[in-house]
Amino acid sequence: QTILCLPRSFEYSQKHAVLVPVAALGAGGVLLCWLKSGRRIKIIDMGDGWWGSGERTHKGKEDLSIRPFKIETSDEEIEDLHQRLDRFRFTPHVEGAAFHYGFNSTYLRKVVAYWRNQFDWRKQVEVLNKYPHFHTTIEGINIHFIHVKPSSVPHGRAVRPLLLVHGWPGSFYEFYKIIPLLTEPAKHGLNEGDVVFEVICPSIPGYGFSEAPHKKGFDSIATARIFHKLMSRLGFREYYVQGGDWGSRITTNMAQMLPQCVKGLHVNLVFIARQSLGSLIRTMLGAYVPWLVGFTREDARRYYPFMQKNVYDLLRESGYLHIQATKPDTAGCGLNDSPVGLAAYILEKFSTWTDKSFLHKDDGGLESKYSLDELLTNVMIYWVTASIVPSMRYYKENFSKDPDLSAHNRVGVYVPTGIAAFPQEIAHVPRVRAKDFYRNIITYTYMPRGGHFAAFEEPKLLAEDIIQFVQKVEQL
């Protein structure tokens, strides 16, 4: 009753008439700031995990040592490979099929012949070992990474730590051409300003020389946590992170998990799967009046016709995903046993995901962008480590929890973000859509050429964009 009587006893003087809306406005402002600050501090819980074999022992006493590691091979390993290649059973391809049915078997014959008679794995092992490799144990499994520092740092320059994360079916080797551009940009004609990096490239657990998790449930959140622990173990409190494919999701999760540690996030693939009502309306209107919904001309060119580029093309390219997200071990057994099957499965992605038009080429356009030595080195990393099955399981672990990969989108990314949009990427996400999730986009670049494997295919373009992004973040 007292509250109800308050308005009756209030004297509406002119002074009070002014104070009321001012007070209301102030209170509303405080409430808005509180709500916005609440959204900013919403993060993904870091949690903890154990992925080693058996039960966790010596809790809190994990081996923190960082151990030098060297890739090695043997006569037995190479001889076994050659014997398997010699037993390759050829299946004639359909005339005029090019790469529409998958890897063209006639061209595969050429690849296998090169692999058997000209490819020098020992030489490629030397190439792989040109950068320092390490192992460290985190959450019960051995994590492999390379750590490359600048050979010299000009006076007055600060060295920024940069974590580069690969995806599937790639590996840490994807970054071998971009690493020198980032650690010594001036030597390679890049205008680095004040930016010089030391680069850390880990292998996702279950990929390459990182041990595979022994327990179910190892997803991108667990990976993000492990990579944060890795950077902390290396002595870094703040660092930049960059990724494409799964690396984009992992580094994004890192930014959502410990935003105070991620000074900047740079990605060349944007995961935004779920269509809201607003984005659906935007998509429909954008086909006719793109400017009205915030699309640029380049967005419209890359985004439409919508059904062809965002439905049919994705369905054609995602058959592997459904297998790996449901029963990866079945198909994986055959790939783990046959080097030719493994090469066909992996290299087909390096064809179509590099350029969609390569479907129409008998050789898949592979050698127009990469050398066979480069492509087979990536395949060999999967072969010698027997990591194709655990790498495929990564899809099941992520999709079984989050079928459309949108659960994490409810936690916005507020760290400074750079997006490099390559024209041949599997799907294009316009900036206006990306900013619904990445709330602090500093740079968004329409790259002039290139596809899914940006660091491998267009290292200089990607390096320039990373440097430009970091320069802007450092000026904030």
Side-chain angles (χ1 to χ4, degrees):
Q1 289 179 342
T2 303
I3 295 174
L4 290 172
C5 289
L6 281 176
R8 298 172 189 169
S9 62
F10 192 90
E11 296 181 6
Y12 282 97
S13 66
Q14 188 175 7
K15 180 179 178 181
H16 288 144
V18 173
L19 288 175
V20 169
V22 169
L25 186 62
V30 170
L31 178 61
L32 181 62
C33 290
W34 178 80
L35 288 171
K36 292 186 74 176
S37 66
R39 292 175 71 183
R40 283 196 178 95
I41 63 171
K42 188 176 182 181
I43 61 173
I44 290 177
D45 181 43
M46 188 167 182
D48 201 6
W50 173 261
W51 309 102
S53 180
E55 296 299 317
R56 187 171 195 167
T57 56
H58 307 295
K59 190 172 183 179
K61 297 181 180 180
E62 189 167 62
D63 180 8
L64 303 180
S65 65
I66 295 172
R67 307 173 293 277
F69 170 74
K70 188 175 182 180
I71 300 171
E72 297 178 342
T73 188
S74 64
D75 292 339
E76 292 76 16
E77 184 175 71
I78 296 172
E79 180 61 28
D80 174 71
L81 172 68
H82 286 173
Q83 288 177 5
R84 292 170 185 264
L85 294 176
D86 287 337
R87 294 196 296 269
F88 165 45
R89 293 199 301 173
F90 172 72
T91 303
H93 71 279
V94 178
E95 292 180 6
F99 262 57
H100 287 277
Y101 283 63
F103 206 105
N104 184 292
S105 57
T106 299
Y107 179 63
L108 185 58
R109 260 182 150 170
K110 176 187 174 182
V111 173
V112 172
Y114 182 89
W115 199 359
R116 174 63 177 85
N117 302 312
Q118 295 174 261
F119 179 77
D120 188 342
W121 175 233
R122 291 188 184 278
K123 178 182 177 182
Q124 294 308 114
V125 166
E126 291 180 7
V127 171
L128 292 175
N129 283 325
K130 75 177 182 178
Y131 295 130
H133 293 250
F134 301 91
H135 266 155
T136 191
T137 305
I138 303 176
E139 298 188 5
I141 52 178
N142 286 327
I143 305 301
H144 161 260
F145 65 98
I146 60 176
H147 188 179
V148 187
K149 300 179 180 181
S151 58
S152 62
V153 181
H155 180 70
R157 299 275 174 84
V159 178
R160 277 81 175 181
L162 172 64
L163 182 80
L164 299 176
V165 184
H166 66 88
W168 188 91
S171 64
F172 66 93
Y173 178 61
E174 284 182 71
F175 299 112
Y176 267 50
K177 289 185 282 188
I178 199 173
I179 286 173
L181 306 183
L182 296 169
T183 55
E184 298 175 315
K187 286 186 179 180
H188 300 275
L190 274 71
N191 178 23
E192 84 284 6
D194 294 325
V195 176
V196 178
F197 297 99
E198 61 177 294
V199 174
I200 302 90
C201 292
S203 294
I204 299 171
Y207 289 67
F209 298 98
S210 277
E211 185 179 352
H214 297 267
K215 304 280 194 294
K216 294 191 296 182
F218 188 86
D219 59 6
S220 63
I221 296 293
T223 313
R225 181 178 63 245
I226 282 178
F227 288 172
H228 271 308
K229 290 183 178 181
L230 170 63
M231 295 301 279
S232 176
R233 191 169 295 183
L234 292 172
F236 300 118
R237 293 184 178 181
E238 279 190 328
Y239 33 88
Y240 289 92
V241 296
Q242 198 283 331
D245 196 85
W246 280 123
S248 170
R249 184 169 172 87
I250 293 165
T251 53
T252 295
N253 290 160
M254 292 178 73
Q256 294 167 308
M257 185 178 290
L258 292 179
Q260 69 273 26
C261 293
V262 177
K263 197 169 185 183
L265 164 69
H266 187 282
V267 296
N268 53 279
L269 177 66
V270 174
F271 279 95
I272 298 182
R274 181 174 293 176
Q275 286 268 10
S276 65
L277 178 60
S279 63
L280 188 61
I281 293 171
R282 183 187 292 150
T283 296
M284 294 171 64
L285 291 174
Y288 305 99
V289 281
W291 52 268
L292 186 63
V293 295
F295 288 179
T296 65
R297 287 185 179 180
E298 186 62 20
D299 286 328
R301 191 181 71 81
R302 297 185 184 191
Y303 204 52
Y304 300 102
F306 180 82
M307 291 300 292
Q308 179 63 51
K309 294 186 176 182
N310 297 276
V311 179
Y312 302 144
D313 286 355
L314 288 179
L315 284 174
R316 183 192 65 221
E317 295 301 324
S318 60
Y320 81 98
L321 185 151
H322 298 287
I323 293 172
Q324 295 177 193
T326 52
K327 298 184 178 181
D329 286 30
T330 304
C333 287
L335 302 178
N336 193 50
D337 191 59
S338 167
V340 178
L342 180 68
Y345 196 73
I346 288 177
L347 296 187
E348 183 255 313
K349 306 307 177 194
F350 278 87
S351 167
T352 313
W353 293 1
T354 295
D355 192 314
K356 299 176 186 69
S357 69
F358 287 173
L359 273 172
H360 311 301
K361 296 178 178 289
D362 289 338
D363 63 356
L366 283 167
E367 292 179 75
S368 64
K369 293 289 185 175
Y370 316 100
S371 71
L372 285 180
D373 280 344
E374 291 171 343
L375 293 168
L376 290 171
T377 296
N378 184 66
V379 173
M380 285 295 291
I381 290 171
Y382 281 86
W383 176 254
V384 301
T385 60
S387 59
I388 187 61
V389 175
S391 76
M392 293 166 70
R393 287 176 188 155
Y394 200 65
Y395 285 75
K396 183 172 180 64
E397 303 295 13
N398 281 283
F399 281 95
S400 61
K401 297 177 182 177
D402 186 10
D404 63 359
L405 295 184
S406 64
H408 303 158
N409 291 9
R410 289 190 287 270
V411 179
V413 177
Y414 292 94
V415 305
T417 301
I419 298 173
F422 284 84
Q424 290 295 329
E425 185 54 88
I426 299 169
H428 176 68
V429 178
R431 178 173 185 153
V432 69
R433 281 206 68 201
K435 72 179 184 180
D436 290 340
F437 175 51
Y438 294 99
R439 309 296 177 81
N440 189 12
I441 297 176
I442 304 300
T443 62
Y444 182 103
T445 310
Y446 297 99
M447 307 304 282
R449 61 185 180 277
H452 187 71
F453 304 98
F456 204 35
E457 179 193 352
E458 296 288 350
K460 190 169 184 179
L461 282 180
L462 184 60
E464 288 172 339
D465 200 66
I466 294 170
I467 290 171
Q468 178 193 29
F469 163 68
V470 172
Q471 285 175 333
K472 290 189 176 182
V473 174
E474 292 293 325
Q475 292 168 3
L476 293 177

